[in-house]
Amino acid sequence: MGIGHREEMKLAALSAPARTTETRLEPRLQRALVAGSDALDELAHVHPVDGRDGALALAVIHDLFVAPLDSVRDAAVYQHHPAVMTLKGRLESDLMDRVRALVDRGTRPRDESAVEAIRSLASGDMVPSVYRWVAASASWAGLRSFLEMEGGPDGGFDDLVAIGQIGLLGEPKLELARNYWDEMGRGSAGNVHTQLQHRMAAAVGLGSTPRSLLPIEALDRSLLSTMLATNRRLQPELVGALGLIELQAGPRCRSVVRAMRRLDASEDALAFYREHAVADPKHGHAWLHHVVRPLSADPWWAAGMVRGALCRSAVNAAFFDMVAGRVNGGFAGVRPGTAGTLSLLPGQKS
């Protein structure tokens, strides 16, 4: 009988020499999560070799908090290990430095209410140019490449909504519950959004790419969500970022639906994006009026929600600039930092 991936990693860790020439933090962290506490202690003050290495290492840490348990198994015991938490804080600080630099290059909303600020951010780049290319002229090969990069409007969004409602009361909690119920297919197992996504991926023939091959723009876009979800003090930012996602997903999904209809896609391919094209504009409006508006009566919440929306808008802009470059390059190649057919991490809408 063969052995599983984690068992293989454990055997490799046990048989590896005490010293290694590996300088990258991410593979060392992967091995340490198998080898145990002492190995993790040795990494507490190790720095990544570059931004991508740090982003990949942070993704490994966030897996301990939000990935399906079957994918981390016994390593979850180290979720709050002191060395892991030290690394998490430092790597998230690096991530926020990159995000702030993107925010500083973008347009800030006027000094207005949180509702109007987030609404204006959403409308500023509602449908990036790459979606117009998708709708009007992408071939099946180009559409598949784009959808693998884009990641689709779900993944772990349902989990992010569940985390976002913790401790809320009244209308904001009810609205997040309504949103979550839609994610759950309103009680129909076959209509759960992740199931629709799986059927779409099978019908279209989408592939996947190891996380190690993702460009840093894709990594940071996903890591922003998981950072906000795994730091309780950033709950207002999480609520603001999720609101922006809902406001922008509908028109983008309509572009994908137009492309699929132009290419005579099957019903299984269409159902996923069509559902979001209809549902998400309603969710976005409701999020503004039943979540953001009541919570923004507290200035601390208001400021945090706007910051979260700003951060999401900034990483979106960087991501879609990167995707547009790959469209223009014909999606040739798969190496990090080059044009390629690359998959995003799970857990994000458009």
Side-chain angles (χ1 to χ4, degrees):
M1 181 180 294
I3 61 175
H5 176 64
R6 183 158 292 281
E7 286 72 18
E8 288 179 343
M9 289 180 64
K10 189 166 186 176
L11 288 174
L14 292 174
S15 61
R19 291 186 173 274
T20 176
T21 58
E22 176 64 74
T23 59
R24 291 175 300 143
L25 175 59
E26 184 263 344
R28 294 177 66 185
L29 177 60
Q30 292 273 25
R31 289 194 295 271
L33 286 170
V34 175
S37 183
D38 290 345
L40 287 168
D41 286 337
E42 294 177 4
L43 295 182
H45 301 292
V46 172
H47 290 265
V49 297
D50 56 24
R52 287 197 77 259
D53 182 35
L56 289 167
L58 183 56
V60 171
I61 293 172
H62 284 177
D63 285 346
L64 301 176
F65 290 78
V66 296
L69 188 58
D70 282 348
S71 69
V72 294
R73 294 293 178 101
D74 292 343
V77 74
Y78 299 117
Q79 177 182 359
H80 295 292
H81 187 283
V84 171
M85 296 307 294
T86 296
L87 283 172
K88 184 176 187 289
R90 190 164 67 244
L91 295 173
E92 287 178 344
S93 178
D94 293 343
L95 170 62
M96 279 310 303
D97 286 345
R98 295 194 296 274
V99 173
R100 287 191 191 98
L102 296 174
V103 169
D104 289 344
R105 295 208 300 264
T107 302
R108 291 179 177 270
R110 296 185 301 274
D111 186 13
E112 52 196 355
S113 71
V115 168
E116 292 307 316
I118 294 173
R119 194 201 310 274
S120 66
L121 277 171
S123 63
D125 193 19
M126 187 70 80
V127 184
S129 60
V130 70
Y131 283 98
R132 295 191 285 277
W133 166 78
V134 163
S137 59
S139 65
W140 261 122
L143 179 62
R144 288 188 189 98
S145 294
F146 172 72
L147 294 181
E148 289 175 6
M149 267 202 194
E150 181 219 31
D154 259 306
F157 190 79
D158 51 354
D159 290 340
L160 297 177
V161 172
I163 293 170
Q165 64 78 39
I166 293 173
L168 297 184
L169 299 171
E171 191 59 25
K173 196 177 191 81
L174 287 173
E175 183 54 43
L176 267 66
R178 287 188 285 266
N179 190 296
Y180 186 80
W181 186 237
D182 265 6
E183 292 287 331
M184 294 297 102
R186 296 172 291 280
S188 170
N191 290 323
V192 171
H193 288 186
T194 50
Q195 290 302 112
L196 293 178
Q197 186 179 40
H198 293 159
R199 294 211 305 268
M200 179 274 295
V204 174
L206 297 187
S208 62
T209 300
R211 189 157 62 190
S212 60
L213 293 181
L214 291 172
I216 194 168
E217 296 89 347
L219 291 168
D220 283 353
R221 184 172 181 246
S222 181
L223 287 169
L224 175 67
S225 293
T226 49
M227 179 184 71
L228 300 182
T230 58
N231 287 275
R232 187 66 191 282
R233 65 185 173 80
L234 297 177
Q235 187 177 7
E237 283 82 352
L238 175 63
V239 169
L242 295 181
L244 187 80
I245 290 169
E246 290 288 31
L247 286 163
Q248 294 183 323
R252 297 173 182 186
C253 289
R254 286 197 290 274
S255 296
V256 178
V257 169
R258 285 195 291 272
M260 288 188 173
R261 285 178 172 154
R262 176 173 54 80
L263 296 167
D264 295 323
S266 68
E267 178 61 27
D268 275 350
L270 275 166
F272 174 64
Y273 279 96
R274 189 172 56 205
E275 164 69 16
H276 289 282
V278 173
D280 284 351
K282 299 175 184 176
H283 286 314
H285 178 82
W287 200 286
L288 281 180
H289 292 281
H290 301 300
V291 181
V292 175
R293 190 182 299 282
L295 289 175
S296 63
D298 181 335
W300 182 81
W301 267 89
M305 290 186 292
V306 173
R307 277 196 302 272
L310 265 170
C311 290
R312 176 69 191 193
S313 179
V315 296
N316 265 353
F319 172 77
F320 285 114
D321 284 347
M322 176 272 296
V323 174
R326 282 156 174 72
V327 169
N328 293 332
F331 291 101
V334 294
R335 289 180 294 109
T338 69
T341 302
L342 301 173
S343 299
L344 296 183
L345 294 169
Q348 55 200 35
K349 292 198 179 187
S350 305

